[in-house]
Amino acid sequence: DFEEITKFALAFNNKFWEEPDSTNLGDCFEIALRSTWDEFYDVWNSATKMDLAISCFTWAGTNDIVLEDGHIEEANANAAIASYLEECNAMHLRKTQASINSAKTAELFKGDEHTVVKYLRKKIPCSCLDKKYKEVKSMARMGACYNPNCNLPDQKIERSRMLYCTRCSQVNYCSPECQKADWKIHKEDCLGYLKEKANFEMKQKA
């Protein structure tokens, strides 16, 4: 199992970075999923194996911070991938949520040290990140505006100032202007999230 999980993690990671210039994080995840689905079908369809794969990426992210002298960008990517696999596991296998929380994975991928270290620290069974967390916990936690045409540097803003879509709660914005500008693009996804939520709640009640 360990060899299989390691091969899966390497394959997923390689495919994730296949389009390094892509501005759409969702596309990167979709490419990685489709490219690894057939070869690693057993991993994608086992909640236990998915948990092991998630652990691979959380440990890799932890190592990026602790052992690699603070490679925060690599830690961001590993944390985001771990979060995405966690969301897939919860949605498709454990059936505990209706849809993938894309805002969460985006915030980890573009996130600050506070956000990433806090996420990883909760996922590992040791105290490796305790010292680092004390160093970064006073930093303002930043979020990523979902509008691809946002004018803010790296589309980042303090999370306390962000606005969430009140319909689906799956995306967030830095301002009403960005939210309005992105509505034509987000509208279809938003309706899709609402349908997924309604179907999920119906099945839960059945």
Side-chain angles (χ1 to χ4, degrees):
D1 274 1
F2 179 75
E3 184 177 354
E4 180 186 28
I5 298 302
T6 301
K7 287 181 177 178
F8 166 77
L10 288 171
F12 189 93
N13 187 67
N14 289 338
K15 290 298 180 181
F16 176 81
W17 291 109
E18 200 167 75
E19 304 260 348
D21 296 327
S22 175
T23 56
N24 190 324
L25 185 61
D27 288 346
C28 294
F29 283 129
E30 187 68 21
I31 290 169
L33 187 156
R34 291 180 182 276
S35 299
T36 57
W37 180 266
D38 291 335
E39 183 179 356
F40 298 99
Y41 181 84
D42 289 345
V43 177
W44 279 111
N45 288 277
S46 166
T48 301
K49 289 182 178 181
M50 284 292 281
D51 283 339
L52 292 173
I54 292 163
S55 293
C56 283
F57 286 103
T58 55
W59 277 114
T62 300
N63 286 337
D64 288 329
I65 294 171
V66 177
L67 301 180
E68 300 297 333
D69 196 25
H71 287 187
I72 187 63
E73 291 184 0
E74 288 86 347
N76 282 13
N78 281 313
I81 293 173
S83 175
Y84 173 77
L85 296 178
E86 194 175 29
E87 295 283 316
C88 288
N89 203 9
M91 178 182 174
H92 297 296
L93 299 176
R94 300 193 184 278
K95 313 282 187 190
T96 55
Q97 63 189 53
S99 58
I100 291 174
N101 188 334
S102 55
K104 181 180 178 181
T105 56
E107 284 180 357
L108 286 168
F109 188 68
K110 296 183 177 181
D112 53 89
E113 281 191 275
H114 185 171
T115 298
V116 174
V117 171
K118 183 176 182 179
Y119 171 80
L120 292 172
R121 181 170 172 258
K122 286 183 177 179
K123 302 299 177 182
I124 58 175
C126 64
S127 57
C128 295
L129 291 177
D130 286 1
K131 181 180 178 181
K132 187 64 176 179
Y133 182 67
K134 288 179 181 178
E135 295 175 7
V136 302
K137 67 179 182 179
S138 61
M139 294 173 57
R141 298 181 68 189
M142 306 296 286
C145 180
Y146 199 74
N147 178 15
N149 298 312
C150 176
N151 292 322
L152 291 176
D154 295 325
Q155 298 170 233
K156 290 183 179 180
I157 187 174
E158 287 188 28
R159 287 177 64 176
S160 60
R161 297 170 57 194
M162 298 201 79
L163 304 173
Y164 283 79
C165 175
T166 54
R167 286 190 169 199
C168 68
S169 301
Q170 291 290 314
V171 298
N172 39 39
Y173 299 95
C174 67
S175 65
E177 291 75 21
C178 265
Q179 186 170 10
K180 184 177 180 180
D182 189 56
W183 175 241
K184 287 183 179 180
I185 299 173
H186 175 57
K187 183 177 181 180
E188 185 175 344
D189 288 340
C190 188
L191 294 174
Y193 288 135
L194 293 177
K195 287 180 181 178
E196 288 175 351
K197 183 178 180 181
N199 290 334
F200 175 78
E201 290 176 349
M202 191 178 298
K203 290 178 181 178
Q204 292 291 98
K205 292 177 181 178

